[in-house]
Structure formats: C-alpha cells, structure tokens
Amino acid sequence: MKALCWHGTGDVRVDSVPDPKIENPRDAIVRITASGICGSDLHLFDGFMPTMEKGDILGHEPMGEVVEVGAAVTNLKKGDRVVVPFTISCGSCFFCQKELYSCCDTSNPNAEIARKAMGHSPAGLFGFSHMLGGFSGGQAEYLRVPFADVGPLKIESGLPDEKVLFLLDIFPTGYMAAENCGMEAGDTVAVWGCGPVAQMAIKSAWMLKAGRVIAIDRVPERLEMARTQGLAETIDFGKDDVYDKLMEMTQGRGPDRCIDAVGCEAHATGSFDAVLDKAKTAVALGTDRAHVLREAIMCCRKAGTISVPGAYVGFPDKLPFGAFMNKGLTMRTGQTHMQKYMKPLLNKIESGEIDPSFVITHRLSLDEAPAAYKTFRDKKDGCIKVVLKP
Ligand SMILES: NC(=O)c1ccc[n+]([C@@H]2O[C@H](COP(=O)([O-])OP(=O)(O)OC[C@H]3O[C@@H](n4cnc5c(N)ncnc54)[C@H](O)[C@@H]3O)[C@@H](O)[C@H]2O)c1
Ligand SMILES: [Zn+2]
Ligand SMILES: [Zn+2]
C-alpha cells in the first residue's frame, strides 16, 4: 500500500510499504477514506519529537471502512464506517476505567522509554514516535487499529466523512480544552492560537457558556475564521502586545480562563524569551518554544485557570512559576481522553449544533501529502486544515 513516511526533519515521502495485518485478536484493519494533517504532525515534521525513525508512517486522524476484524472484536464488522481516535486505549486498566483514556497503562509497548522521559507512560498514539508506541499511522491506504473493540466510533447516520472526521482528534481536543477551564457562566476566555484546535476550543467555550471569547494569532485568515465562525474578538500578536491588549479589554483584571492551543512551537515577534527559545531549540539545548505558556500565566486573572491542549514535548524553561503560585492559578492539560468525548460530540454534530468541517481549506490526495505538510506548516495558500483522501 501507499503510506506517508517520515524520513527526517522536513522530509516526508509517500512510500510503498507492506499492507498491515491483524496481529492480535483485538485488532481491526481499516481502509482509510479521509485522514487529517494535524498541528501535532508538524512537531514530528519539524523534528521536535524524539524517538522518530526513518520509515515511520505518520498520521493520527484517520477514518474509513472496516475491512477485517480480529476474532475478539465483536462490536465491528466488515463494511462498518468508523472514525478512529488518535489515542490507543485498552478500556479496562485503572485509567481507562476512570475514562482517562489517554493515560491508558497498557497500550504503549514502549512504555519503558516513556517512563524514563516522563516518569510514567501515557497511552500509545498512532503515528507519533517510538516513545509513544511506534504504531503506524493513518496517512496511508490501510491502518491496523489495536484495541478495536474500544477505540473506533461507528458512524451509522450516513453523515459524510468531512462532518464526522474531526471527532477523531480536534473537536474532542478543543472541547476538553474548554471543559478543562472549569468555566463559570459568563467567563472571559482567551484562546492562544487560531489553528484548527483553537477553532474547536472557541466553539466549545461558547457551548460551555463563556461570556466572551478572545482569540490570539497573527495569521489573517485564521483570525478571520475565529471572528466569523467562532464569533470571537481577536488580537493580532504581530501587531499588538498581547498582555497590554488583554488588560485593556478586561479592565486590568485579565481573562478568567486561558487556553494555550499553540504548544511547543510558539512564534513571537522579537520578545526576549522567544529569541532565547529559538536559539536553544535550534542547537538542541532546548526542547520547546514555550512563549505562549509563559504569556498565559502572566495574563490570566488571579485564581484563574490555564488549560493546555497545545503539545509540549520536553523541558520548557523560564516558566514564571512564581507568578503561577502567587496568583493562585490552576492548570489542566493532557492528550485528549478521546473515547470519553466522541459519542456525546457525535450527538452534537447529528443534532446540527456544530459542523466541524468549517476548518477544512485543503482536500488532497495522499500523493500530495509531502507538499501539503509544507503548505500547512508555512501557512501558505490560506491553509488551515488539510484532509487527505487516500
Ligand atoms: N492535547 C491533545 O490531545 C492535542 C490534540 C491535537 C493537537 N494538539 C496540539 O494542539 C496544538 C495546536 O494544533 P493545531 O492543529 O491547531 O496547530 P496549528 O499549528 O495549525 O496552529 C497553531 C497556531 O498557533 C499560532 N501561534 C504561534 N505562535 C503564537 C503565539 N505566540 N500566540 C498566538 N498564536 C500563536 C500559529 O500561527 C498557528 O495558527 C499543537 O501543539 C498540537 O500538537 C494537542
Ligand atoms: Zn491531531
Ligand atoms: Zn487502559
């Protein structure tokens, strides 16, 4: 089959690789009909994520049709349409029982590498480094889905792929990010980033009764989408000082809830910490560019909440922990506990409350994926979200 493989920083290629096979009775094989490219994939493309190996198949946002199931999979059958969440979870360990699916204790076969890096291993993820399981991803024609009796969500309503595709990552991720704010009705929520995850977080903040949403980015079409689709007020961080602007907009109090939907590759226009991050990450002395996390801590109102869906990979430094402590802030974060959110959010799509496909700007073939990674990373051609149709 054809699959998009990682060959090094900035180098992904469509290779011919062996078709996946059932390896475990709880596996299923899915023929992919649509597969997103995510901001998280850029962390791999840009070389931020350790333990990638040449030939690794990328992609963690796939949906498609079941073509084969293992003997222990009784909830799916050949021909079913499914969306496959990016987290791989066993469904029965201590964490899965508490619906903390992205903390699954059993799905990462390389848990020892992750334990050394993080103290404990999170769940295995599709197409996301050997530290997180070394599982082949879904930017391919076929995908092996482990624990297929727990992960995939069946789509029985005949809704087109594009409407339900984002149940496999960014809609639940944006929703959990808003939920993690612990919002009170009427709160002001500031969202850093206007990428696809942020767009979903903005919509979700309104669903959870925000009073005001302020979105921050510098890419004009992304800011525009936050205004028109997300009904957010916006700040262009390329033009305005974000702290000053947020204080002006909130009479000096600061936003009640802050969402960092940017993560480890934040840009900043010349601020001292950002210049330092850039220099350190360029020579591998730093792991993350954490400008947004620092800024959110400084901007958040006292006793407010910071929710971090943005991905961090290592040891971001110069975090103003003194401010965090003395202002009495709370922080919540995590890879999304996908299986907890997929069904309830499917109901919201089916009832017409939201159609997440509004973020799609590019529909391309798998062969076009290497070019699409560059277009998406460089924010060229108005690119906000790419869907590959293998
Ligand atoms: N927690 C999870 O389970 C989960 C799931 C999916 C994605 N993610 C992470 O969420 C983040 C966003 O994903 P995405 O697909 O929207 O990515 P994206 O790269 O499309 O969007 C990031 C946006 O941040 C903006 N940005 C950069 N620096 C900024 C700054 N200083 N202030 C404000 N905005 C800034 C960029 O211009 C861009 O529009 C990534 O880190 C991704 O890895 C996490
Ligand atoms: Zn993703
Ligand atoms: Zn588990």
Side-chain angles (χ1 to χ4, degrees):
M1 67 164 183
K2 283 199 282 190
L4 187 79
C5 298
W6 187 91
H7 283 268
T9 300
D11 183 2
V12 293
R13 304 175 202 166
V14 178
D15 292 341
S16 199
V17 302
D19 286 358
K21 293 196 175 58
I22 299 278
E23 294 174 17
N24 180 293
R26 292 177 74 183
D27 288 353
I29 305 292
V30 173
R31 182 179 66 79
I32 304 304
T33 53
S35 195
I37 302 180
C38 180
S40 299
D41 293 322
L42 293 180
H43 307 323
L44 313 176
F45 188 58
D46 295 339
F48 273 71
M49 188 73 194
T51 72
M52 290 297 292
E53 290 174 16
K54 270 189 200 309
D56 286 349
I57 302 175
L58 297 183
H60 61 267
E61 301 194 344
M63 71 172 293
E65 187 191 318
V66 175
V67 291
E68 199 183 343
V69 292
V73 180
T74 52
N75 57 318
L76 299 177
K77 59 177 189 323
K78 206 174 156 191
D80 283 345
R81 275 178 83 214
V82 288
V83 295
V84 182
F86 74 96
T87 47
I88 302 171
S89 311
C90 77
S92 54
C93 71
F94 174 88
F95 294 98
C96 286
Q97 278 184 17
K98 291 182 185 297
E99 296 194 301
L100 301 168
Y101 294 100
S102 72
C103 298
C104 176
D105 242 349
T106 38
S107 63
N108 182 359
N110 299 331
E112 193 49 27
I113 310 177
R115 196 185 62 77
K116 287 208 173 96
M118 298 187 246
H120 297 91
S121 172
L125 306 182
F126 286 106
F128 220 79
S129 85
H130 288 264
M131 178 163 75
L132 296 177
F135 292 100
S136 289
Q139 287 161 6
E141 290 178 307
Y142 293 90
L143 174 72
R144 178 178 78 91
V145 181
F147 298 114
D149 51 333
V150 178
L153 176 72
K154 235 194 285 190
I155 304 296
E156 291 166 305
S157 51
L159 284 171
D161 282 8
E162 291 189 358
K163 276 201 173 180
V164 290
L165 178 65
F166 299 133
L167 286 167
L168 43 67
D169 182 350
I170 61 171
F171 183 23
T173 295
Y175 194 86
M176 186 169 111
E179 205 176 70
N180 274 347
C181 286
M183 222 181 298
E184 291 170 22
D187 275 351
T188 296
V189 184
V191 181
W192 273 257
C194 291
V197 167
Q199 301 289 345
M200 298 297 149
I202 293 168
K203 290 263 188 199
S204 303
W206 290 121
M207 289 175 186
L208 295 168
K209 307 279 180 273
R212 214 176 154 189
V213 181
I214 304 171
I216 305 154
D217 206 306
R218 67 175 175 189
V219 181
E221 60 275 13
R222 292 177 179 225
L223 287 165
E224 174 69 14
M225 185 180 272
R227 281 190 295 269
T228 54
Q229 292 285 343
L231 308 178
E233 300 162 66
T234 56
I235 298 176
D236 180 340
F237 76 84
K239 291 190 181 136
D240 285 311
D241 181 272
V242 174
Y243 175 86
D244 289 348
K245 196 78 193 164
L246 279 173
M247 294 314 121
E248 185 190 311
M249 293 167 90
T250 59
Q251 287 75 46
R253 186 191 281 177
D256 304 293
R257 317 289 163 195
C258 295
I259 299 180
D260 170 357
V262 178
C264 64
E265 294 188 68
H267 294 277
T269 41
S271 74
F272 179 69
D273 68 310
V275 173
L276 204 63
D277 282 344
K278 201 169 175 184
K280 284 168 73 172
T281 51
V283 293
L285 280 174
T287 54
D288 303 72
R289 298 200 308 254
H291 177 72
V292 164
L293 194 50
R294 297 184 194 111
E295 194 164 71
I297 292 172
M298 297 305 282
C299 293
C300 191
R301 78 133 154 90
K302 288 178 279 183
T305 316
I306 300 190
S307 163
V308 187
Y312 288 85
V313 295
F315 302 87
D317 59 7
K318 308 276 182 300
L319 292 174
F321 201 74
F324 185 79
M325 185 272 164
N326 284 285
K327 286 167 68 174
L329 302 181
T330 300
M331 191 180 299
R332 299 199 68 188
T333 181
Q335 301 284 0
T336 308
H337 303 302
M338 292 300 299
Q339 292 85 341
K340 175 177 172 191
Y341 294 96
M342 291 166 76
K343 186 79 183 73
L345 295 184
L346 171 63
N347 294 341
K348 287 188 188 291
I349 297 173
E350 284 176 342
S351 72
E353 191 178 342
I354 179 172
D355 174 2
S357 66
F358 74 89
V359 289
I360 303 173
T361 51
H362 289 62
R363 299 162 173 88
L364 300 168
S365 71
L366 191 57
D367 289 324
E368 293 170 289
Y373 265 71
K374 292 200 177 81
T375 310
F376 176 48
R377 179 196 58 196
D378 300 338
K379 304 179 178 63
K380 293 270 168 62
D381 194 29
C383 185
I384 298 179
K385 186 77 180 175
V386 182
V387 175
L388 303 170
K389 309 214 166 167

